[in-house]
Each structure stands twice: as C-alpha cells, then as structure tokens.
Amino acid sequence: MNKEQSNEVPGMVDLATIVSLCKRRGFIYQNSEIYGGLGSVWDYGPLGVELKNNLKRLWWKSMVYERNDVEGLDAAILMNHDVWKTSGHVTGFKDLLVDCKSCKKRFRHDLIKSDVCPECKGELTEPKAFNLMFRTFVGSVESDANEIFLRPETAQGIFVNFKNILTSSRRKLPFGVAQIGKAFRNEITTGNFTFRSREFEQMELEYFTYPEESDKWFEYWVNERFNWYTTYGIKNANIRLRKHDKEELAHYAKSCYDVEFLFPMGWSELEGIAHRTDFDLKQHSAVSGKSLSYFDEERKQDIMPHVIEPSGGVDRAFLAFVLDAYREEKVRGEKRVVLGLNKFLAPVKVAVLPLLKKKPEIVAMAKAIYKDLSGNYKVVYDDTASIGKLYRRQDEIGTLYCVTVDVESLEDKKVTVRDRDTMEQKRIPVSDLKSYIDKLVR
Ligand code: GAP
C-alpha cells in the first residue's frame, strides 16, 4: 500500500480496507501475482466477475433496452493503424513526463507540484512527450508498416462503423450506438487500486444528433448519466458534476462534464460526458475518402451529425459502488460489515445455509432448495461455519438474502429468510420460496 492509497476523506472507508476485502473475498486479485504482479493490471475473481457483469448488464439495460433510440456494437480491440492517426491519438494522446536524474523514477509533469523529484528531491529532466497507447505488430514482421495499437478508447470502433450501422439499422437522427469493451492505456501515474489501470473496460455511448440540437442533447445526457449512478445507489453526498475548463478539454471536445465520485483520494472522474461535435466523423470521412455523413430524407440534404459521448469506466464504477456501499455497524456490541449494494448489483442474491450440517435430512433439504433457486442468478450454499459467522460472511459481500434450514423446517416445511439490510427474519413455506425470492431480487 503506497502513500496515495491512504484515506484522506473523513467518513469514507479507506482504500486499504477495500483492497483487502476485495482480495480476501474474491472480488479482485493482483494480476500475475505469483510472479510479482504486473503493475496496474487486475483480475476479477468469482464475486468480482458477478458484480462486474451485473454492472455492465444494468448499463446495457438503461442505455439500450429501456430506450428505442440506441443500437449496440461489439467492435474489435485491434484496428487499422490509420484510425488512430486520423482520430488524433497518435499525435495527441500523450502525457508530458519527467525523469528523476537520481532515483530514475518517472512522473507526469502536470502532477508534479515542484521542480524537484517528489520522492528523493533529485533533479528532474526536461518534460518529454510519451504516447499512452500500447503498440504491437500485425503479422510476423515488427516494422513501422505493421505497427498497430491496442485501442485506448472503444469510441473509434463506433465512428468507423457509423455508415454500416446506419445502413443496416435504417436509423434516423437522433440515435445512439452503445458499446462495452476493453481499452488499454500505458498509464504512468498508477496506484489507487483499479482507479487508473493499464487494462480496463469502458461503457461508451456515441449519440448522433442534428448539429443544431446537439447542445440540448449534451445537457440531457449529462443529467441522465448523473442520475444513473444515484438510481443504483451512489449517495448524493459522494457524487457531483464538474465542468471542464477550456485548457483541460480533450482534443476532440467542445465541452465536457465529469461525473465525479468522492474516492478516498478525493473527488475524481467516474465518467466523462463530452460534446465531440462532428470532429471524428469529419476526420474519418476526409482521410478515408468514404463519407460518413447522414442523408436526411426530409431535408434532402447531407448532414454531418454531432456527437454526444457519455463515456464511463466499468472498473471505476465498480470501485465507486463498492466504496459507497461499504458500511460498518454495531450489532449487539459486535462489528457488522455490510456491503449494501443495490439489489441489481449484488454479486450473490441468496445464500442457502443449513443450520445443522450433521443432520442428513437438513442437508438434503438445503441442497434441494439451493438447486431449486439456482439458474437465473448467483446462489451460494455454505455450511462451513457457525450461523453467526455465515451471516457475517454474506453481509460482507452484500448477499441480499440468507435462507436457513433448521430442524423445524423438517416439520413445518418452512425456512427462515433473513434480509441483509434490516436483518429481519421471516418464515416462508418452501413451496413459495422460489417465487418469493424471485420477486425480491429481480
Ligand atoms: N472516449 C472518451 C474517453 O475515452 P476518457 O475520459 O479518457 O474518455 C472515459 O475515459 C472513462 O474511462 C473515464 O471516465 C474512466 O471512467 C475510464 N478510464 C479512463 N482511463 C482509465 C484507466 N486508466 N483506468 C480505469 N478507467 C479508466
């Protein structure tokens, strides 16, 4: 744990606690750990993949299924070299870096507050530009002609497919294209757990509008995306909007808002909503020689749509939802840790817990319930500790309901269903259990 990972925000759980919980309970592991790891690359464990999938599904539901103006896309990570030249990333996607002449460490120039090394106070070199894209080669010859990049954003896959999507879906303006996928950046300033990773996932929407309506849609999407996070549980005190100053705007943006979350290291970007104008479609049309304009049947006119782009990070949203949901309570003098995640995000919906594992009839009944409830969401079975410990385990990972099977269950064919948040317990007939739980968790 380095200095950056210390808790600076009063009231917010510190990052070290979350890093430890994530590893111990199987949410997130360090990548290639047995070989000493690979800096700022992370693997999602059994619970992590559940939460991450739930998060992506929720985004897709809001952005695609609940609307009738958005199509989906899954473009490849590898793209023609010229895409990145045209988009401005080959020349523009750079950080200015300085090296320490004594300890040889490298820093981002804009994050250094003095003109000496922040670690050892040594002399620094002049700033040098460093492109954040990972380079690789297609085919067997490692030459400049075969150089390609791992995409640093998923957006370009949408722009270069604009005409394909338009033709095959017969969409009219305004409409959007949504995509979730991996992106890669050779980040220099790392730390803060998954906040700034070298391999991460983005959830991006490119929303194509008439130029004259673009400002209205920009405002619409800023509000829409802010509300998405609060709808699924982020507390109002931990989230805010911040407008970019002119000098921090990306090379393609006319205007941008960040949805910021109060991370332990302070307010930081969770998602950006950018007004990309017609920058990308125009650039790709000019360089490829293939027009990416939209023919408006009513106006009998070619239009270059303007683009509003809400671009969020899956990994950052994951971290924000976990940080926001973590709470510690005192119950009968004992500490109770609860991950109070929204029901759609919780990785495990139900845990089935037999109270007396020595009694074969109880085990058989619990296993039958476990099997019956499984199928549409994650259900776990656990008989490896006392009931108090089993409840604590499930609370700590945010399991919504615990179903306990006891001696009485054999007689009355009822089980106890315990609610994670209220800890209220109800006896429910086994015959009604599946529909009862289904209604609560879906
Ligand atoms: N297409 C626009 C774009 O890529 P960005 O602000 O550079 O814009 C969008 O990235 C989102 O992607 C960020 O708000 C953040 O959530 C996520 N993101 C960017 N770099 C990241 C990194 N190194 N690690 C984790 N998430 C990252």
Side-chain angles (χ1 to χ4, degrees), residues 93 152-155 185 187 194-202 204 206 252 258 269-272 276 309 311-317:
F93 199 55
E153 62 168 10
T154 65
R185 296 182 190 180
E187 300 282 2
T194 54
F195 179 82
R196 201 178 299 286
S197 303
R198 293 195 164 108
E199 175 177 340
F200 57 100
E201 270 184 285
Q202 288 187 317
E204 298 201 296
E206 306 304 322
Y252 48 72
D258 281 348
E269 176 185 346
L270 187 54
E271 168 160 348
R276 282 182 91 125
E309 177 194 66
S311 171
V314 177
D315 311 76
R316 277 193 201 171

Side-chain angles (χ1 to χ4, degrees), residues 350-371 373 379-391 393-394 401-410 414-416 427 433:
V350 191
V352 182
L353 316 170
L355 271 194
L356 267 179
K357 71 171 178 179
K358 285 194 198 100
K359 252 190 155 4
E361 306 93 293
I362 291 184
V363 169
M365 192 172 177
K367 288 212 162 141
I369 290 171
Y370 169 54
K371 201 163 166 229
L373 292 178
V379 183
V380 299
Y381 177 92
D382 195 357
D383 63 3
T384 59
S386 66
I387 189 64
K389 214 164 176 184
L390 292 178
Y391 279 155
R393 257 185 214 166
Q394 297 305 325
Y401 296 96
C402 288
V403 172
T404 51
V405 184
D406 52 27
V407 182
E408 245 183 287
S409 306
L410 299 175
K414 286 182 182 170
V415 286
T416 304
R427 292 292 281 180
L433 187 65

Side-chain angles (χ1 to χ4, degrees), residues 19-20 22-24 26 28-39 41-43 193:
V19 173
S20 153
C22 281
K23 175 164 189 202
R24 194 163 31 84
I28 301 176
Y29 311 123
Q30 188 180 13
N31 170 271
S32 319
E33 191 181 8
I34 60 167
Y35 286 99
L38 178 63
V41 183
W42 302 94
D43 296 338
F193 199 25

Side-chain angles (χ1 to χ4, degrees), residues 43-54:
D43 296 338
Y44 287 79
L47 293 183
V49 68
E50 293 298 333
L51 172 45
K52 207 179 186 203
N53 283 344
N54 291 344

